[in-house]
Amino acid sequence: MLKKLNLLLNNPKKASQKLIKLTAFSLGASSLMLGGCASNQTIHSPLPQTVKSPLLNDAKPVQKTDITPDKLNVELQTDVFHAVIWDKMRNQFDLADEHYGKYEDYLNFYNDRKTHLKRVSERAEPYLHYILTEVEKRNMPNEMALLPIVESGFRPVARSNKKAVGLWQFIPGTADIYDLDRNWWYDGRKDVIESTHAALDYLQKLYKLNNNDWLLALASYNAGPGTIYKAQRKYRKKHKTQPGIKEYQPNFWEIQEFLPKETQAYVPKLLAVSHIVEYADRFNVDLKPIANQPYFTQITLEKQVSLNQVAKLTETSTDVLAALNPGYNQPATPPNGPHNLLLPADKAADFSVHLENNQEIFNIQWQKHKIRFGDSLSVIAQKYQTSSKEIKELNGMKNSKIRAGKTLLIPIPADKAGLVNLKIAKAERSINTQAKSVKTQNSNRLTQSEKHIHVVKPGDSFWKLAKYYNITAKKLANWNNISIKKPLQQGQKLAIYSNKYGTKIQHTLKSGESLWVLAKRYKVSTKEIANWNQISAKKVLQPGMKLTIWTKSKSKKAINYVVKDGDNLWNIAKANQLSARQLALYNKLSLKSLLKAGQVIQIPVKNHKNT
């Protein structure tokens, strides 16, 4: 109770809201108690005055409301429509209010960056109404709708140096778990609707994993749950003498010092942004007025379509259409539908009507073509029964020069698409059959002799191990025939099919040595050494530092064979496709040497057979 009272005293504006709710409760109770003698009584009373932000230390006392039985007149505030979405969000940032006083440094940080906040508010216009609506549907704190400010600055194509992409900055491993597809045509991490659903699903999951603590959920979103658990263990170790510390779950502020620097700032930044949005006028921050109404409408198309044609038909600028549909990597949707397309809310209805009466927009289909050695633009055009000019125009090419390994988008007339695709499919099947055969041979070779077993430790995850072993999370899951969505268990054994993990070496760094020097010496890459030791490849190394380095498994040159009764050099050599002389020389024996039962000799492994 004292905690709640202190919160209200430190947040006068919130206090006025609580008073309104308390008044409403009191009136309900009073009307029940007085129902037999004061029915149908009209109630009117002024509301408490709005109080200024505690940031300015100029709060006025809250005006008391007269609720005496003989004058029960109060005008209760109902839901009011706000034309501007920032106004709707104000007074709804409960987390920022609850933790006010713990993020002052970041209030100053953003107060010095008012121009940045203005630009971010402009970029938020197409997305904020939708995101806030989804947050409210799930009864999540309003602060979550502002998380893209901290994550990406509301840039749907933002990409970090850790390969995180989109408004919500999903890394590949987490994107796989939440079914955000990625291919040449499309990246679900940049899809406004799909990435928002995935991000809110993930946040709700992290909220439950952290015993319903939103700040810890946010920290986990940034650093991963394993990092948070590790920081909590460090806190408990530091305070091990306190009673009940083993069962205690430290909160964000208590473990803040044990977290990575980025995560230490991540949560306070969001709280600071939320507070500034709530009191934008007091901070003199000029936020773009965003209409409190849907900015876009989603339509579904069953066939492939050119985004440029959609822009022309709807009289929408290509920039706006691209901003609403950043998930599409190419100027056309993928070949196989259905596809979801976002259009400005005032354009969608007319476009739907147009499609009902005119299907010309679907008359051209698009196919991707990976350039191979020997290809020329004219050969490619002939293959797809189109023209070099159209290929150049679609791909923004200034001349006919092409490079092997690059990919082109090819326009194909719809009436010829069936025949062209049939020919291509036949050619691709032939190529894929050959590639599959080679891949199977390589896989079998690895399965037999180059298998490394990893025993899962606390904090391990698919994406963490994938980074460590320089593979993809999907490949790791496929190797072990398990779902990427299934959590790993401590002690679980995972197979890593690679010859790079034969011997684990602890190398103590000497003066003058660098990652490049070590990589050259051990015949590995600097990236692999950095991954194995969880350091940056650009990190300046200090003498005495210990580094883990894996070296390739050495194939055995020979195996041991225990001599049985009746064995001699000749029959053992014959069974292993060797000459008796070769076997004798390998074991430093004479051809006249008599073998004894139980004696151990070595047989070169490439010649060994079971005898």
Side-chain angles (χ1 to χ4, degrees):
M1 186 68 185
L2 287 174
K3 183 178 179 181
K4 289 184 178 179
L5 181 59
N6 288 332
L7 175 62
L8 293 179
L9 290 174
N10 289 327
N11 294 273
K13 187 169 186 177
K14 185 68 68 176
S16 67
Q17 295 176 317
K18 298 292 183 185
L19 181 58
I20 292 173
K21 293 178 182 178
L22 181 60
T23 303
F25 174 79
S26 301
L27 285 170
S30 300
S31 63
L32 286 174
M33 289 187 289
L34 301 174
C37 59
S39 60
N40 301 323
Q41 187 171 357
T42 304
I43 302 173
H44 291 290
S45 179
L47 289 172
Q49 295 179 352
T50 302
V51 186
K52 292 185 179 180
S53 164
L55 184 70
L56 302 182
N57 298 319
D58 61 353
K60 297 179 182 178
V62 178
Q63 179 180 330
K64 294 182 179 179
T65 305
D66 185 0
I67 55 170
T68 54
D70 59 334
K71 195 177 181 180
L72 281 174
N73 295 323
V74 109
E75 194 173 296
L76 295 178
Q77 182 177 356
T78 58
D79 288 339
V80 177
F81 175 77
H82 296 281
V84 176
I85 202 164
W86 304 114
D87 296 333
K88 178 184 179 180
M89 297 181 77
R90 291 190 179 108
N91 306 328
Q92 304 297 324
F93 296 114
D94 292 340
L95 291 178
D97 288 342
E98 180 181 351
H99 298 279
Y100 179 75
K102 296 180 180 177
Y103 49 86
E104 289 94 336
D105 289 346
Y106 296 95
L107 287 175
N108 295 329
F109 175 84
Y110 283 112
N111 197 34
D112 292 338
R113 291 164 176 80
K114 294 185 173 103
T115 303
H116 166 72
L117 290 177
K118 182 180 180 180
R119 285 200 300 267
V120 168
S121 73
E122 292 168 352
R123 290 196 293 264
E125 184 177 15
Y127 320 112
L128 186 57
H129 182 274
Y130 174 78
I131 293 174
L132 179 61
T133 301
E134 292 301 307
V135 166
E136 290 176 337
K137 282 180 185 177
R138 299 165 183 247
N139 199 28
M140 298 170 74
N142 267 23
E143 284 85 350
M144 303 302 149
L146 299 184
L147 192 56
I149 294 179
V150 179
E151 281 288 350
S152 62
F154 268 108
R155 289 173 298 185
V157 295
R159 182 181 296 271
S160 77
N161 56 4
K162 296 179 181 177
K163 298 182 180 178
V165 172
L167 287 172
W168 300 93
Q169 290 291 281
F170 274 100
I171 59 174
T174 315
D176 289 339
I177 292 173
Y178 287 91
D179 296 325
L180 295 175
D181 295 332
R182 303 185 312 283
N183 54 52
W184 188 78
W185 293 95
Y186 171 81
D187 189 338
R189 296 176 296 171
K190 296 187 290 185
D191 187 300
V192 176
I193 290 180
E194 295 301 320
S195 67
T196 297
H197 287 171
L200 299 186
D201 286 347
Y202 188 32
L203 283 165
Q204 286 183 309
K205 179 183 177 181
L206 293 171
Y207 176 65
K208 292 176 182 177
L209 286 175
N210 286 283
N211 293 338
N212 300 342
D213 186 314
W214 279 116
L215 298 198
L216 290 179
L218 286 164
S220 298
Y221 187 91
N222 177 253
T227 302
I228 305 309
Y229 299 154
K230 187 176 180 181
Q232 289 177 327
R233 287 197 298 271
K234 288 182 179 179
Y235 176 89
R236 284 191 283 266
K237 184 177 180 181
K238 183 178 179 180
H239 300 85
K240 59 185 177 182
T241 58
Q242 293 185 3
I245 191 65
K246 288 184 179 180
E247 294 77 27
Y248 178 64
Q249 177 179 286
N251 62 40
F252 171 79
W253 307 109
E254 290 170 327
I255 66 170
Q256 190 177 20
E257 63 177 304
F258 303 112
L259 294 171
K261 286 186 178 179
E262 180 184 320
T263 312
Q264 289 181 25
Y266 183 80
V267 174
K269 277 184 176 181
L270 178 62
L271 298 177
V273 165
S274 302
H275 186 86
I276 290 174
V277 167
E278 185 162 11
Y279 300 106
D281 54 339
R282 311 282 167 79
F283 283 91
N284 295 317
V285 173
D286 183 19
L287 300 176
K288 178 180 175 62
I290 298 175
N292 183 18
Q293 62 187 29
Y295 187 93
F296 58 75
T297 298
Q298 179 177 275
I299 63 170
T300 301
L301 300 175
E302 297 298 328
K303 300 178 182 178
Q304 189 178 34
V305 70
S306 163
L307 297 179
N308 289 333
Q309 285 182 289
V310 172
K312 289 177 182 177
L313 285 173
T314 58
E315 297 181 351
T316 302
S317 76
T318 53
D319 288 343
V320 169
L321 195 66
L324 291 177
N325 300 277
Y328 295 120
N329 296 328
Q330 307 304 327
T333 60
N336 301 316
H339 312 293
N340 292 324
L341 201 63
L342 302 186
L343 294 176
D346 59 340
K347 307 284 188 179
D350 289 343
F351 182 70
S352 297
V353 171
H354 177 86
L355 288 183
E356 289 178 7
N357 303 316
N358 191 335
Q359 295 285 304
E360 287 184 3
I361 193 171
F362 300 120
N363 284 350
I364 294 289
Q365 294 184 18
W366 289 263
Q367 177 75 36
K368 68 172 183 175
H369 175 87
K370 189 171 184 179
I371 303 169
R372 297 188 175 96
F373 288 103
D375 275 350
S376 69
L377 207 57
S378 59
V379 168
I380 295 170
Q382 185 178 6
K383 178 181 178 181
Y384 292 97
Q385 298 191 23
T386 186
S387 70
S388 300
K389 181 181 178 182
E390 288 177 330
I391 294 175
K392 286 195 290 185
E393 184 177 339
L394 184 60
N395 292 274
M397 298 168 62
K398 295 180 180 179
N399 52 51
S400 298
K401 290 182 180 179
I402 56 176
R403 184 184 301 173
K406 297 291 183 180
T407 302
L408 293 173
L409 191 59
I410 313 294
I412 308 172
D415 59 343
K416 298 179 181 178
L419 181 61
V420 169
N421 289 334
L422 190 64
K423 289 181 179 179
I424 295 170
K426 187 176 180 180
E428 289 295 330
R429 274 197 300 271
S430 175
I431 294 170
N432 290 338
T433 301
Q434 295 175 17
K436 190 175 180 180
S437 175
V438 173
K439 186 177 180 181
T440 302
Q441 292 173 14
N442 291 338
S443 178
N444 290 340
R445 207 173 291 128
L446 285 172
T447 303
Q448 292 168 9
S449 61
E450 298 172 346
K451 178 178 173 182
H452 169 72
I453 299 298
H454 177 94
V455 180
V456 175
K457 301 184 289 296
D460 280 351
S461 64
F462 271 112
W463 49 92
K464 186 175 179 181
L465 294 180
K467 183 178 180 182
Y468 184 89
Y469 289 109
N470 200 29
I471 55 176
T472 64
K474 274 188 175 180
K475 180 176 283 189
L476 180 59
N478 290 340
W479 277 347
N480 293 276
N481 197 27
I482 52 179
S483 169
I484 199 169
K485 296 182 181 180
K486 187 176 181 181
L488 299 178
Q489 303 296 323
Q490 184 176 348
Q492 183 177 352
K493 293 181 179 180
L494 298 176
I496 312 294
Y497 291 104
S498 173
N499 66 347
K500 293 182 180 180
Y501 304 100
T503 306
K504 190 177 184 180
I505 298 171
Q506 288 292 329
H507 180 95
T508 302
L509 207 66
K510 300 179 181 64
S511 180
E513 288 183 331
S514 64
L515 285 183
W516 184 84
V517 170
L518 295 182
K520 190 174 180 182
R521 178 183 303 170
Y522 291 105
K523 297 180 180 178
V524 295
S525 69
T526 55
K527 182 181 178 181
E528 286 173 331
I529 298 177
N531 288 346
W532 293 333
N533 294 277
Q534 297 181 16
I535 58 175
S536 168
K538 298 178 182 179
K539 182 179 175 67
V540 178
L541 306 180
Q542 301 297 328
M545 185 178 180
K546 291 186 177 180
L547 295 175
T548 295
I549 298 174
W550 286 92
T551 58
K552 289 186 177 182
S553 53
K554 297 178 180 178
S555 56
K556 293 181 179 179
K557 294 180 179 179
I559 65 160
N560 293 332
Y561 175 75
V562 180
V563 176
K564 304 181 183 72
D565 284 329
D567 276 346
N568 58 48
L569 285 174
W570 283 266
N571 60 25
I572 296 174
K574 185 178 180 181
N576 289 280
Q577 298 178 2
L578 288 168
S579 69
R581 182 177 178 79
Q582 284 176 311
L583 188 59
L585 288 174
Y586 197 85
N587 288 275
K588 298 180 180 179
L589 298 172
S590 165
L591 284 173
K592 298 179 181 180
S593 298
L594 296 176
L595 303 181
K596 298 178 181 179
Q599 182 180 348
V600 177
I601 64 172
Q602 290 191 321
I603 301 173
V605 72
K606 66 179 180 179
N607 298 105
H608 172 64
K609 283 186 176 181
N610 293 325
T611 57

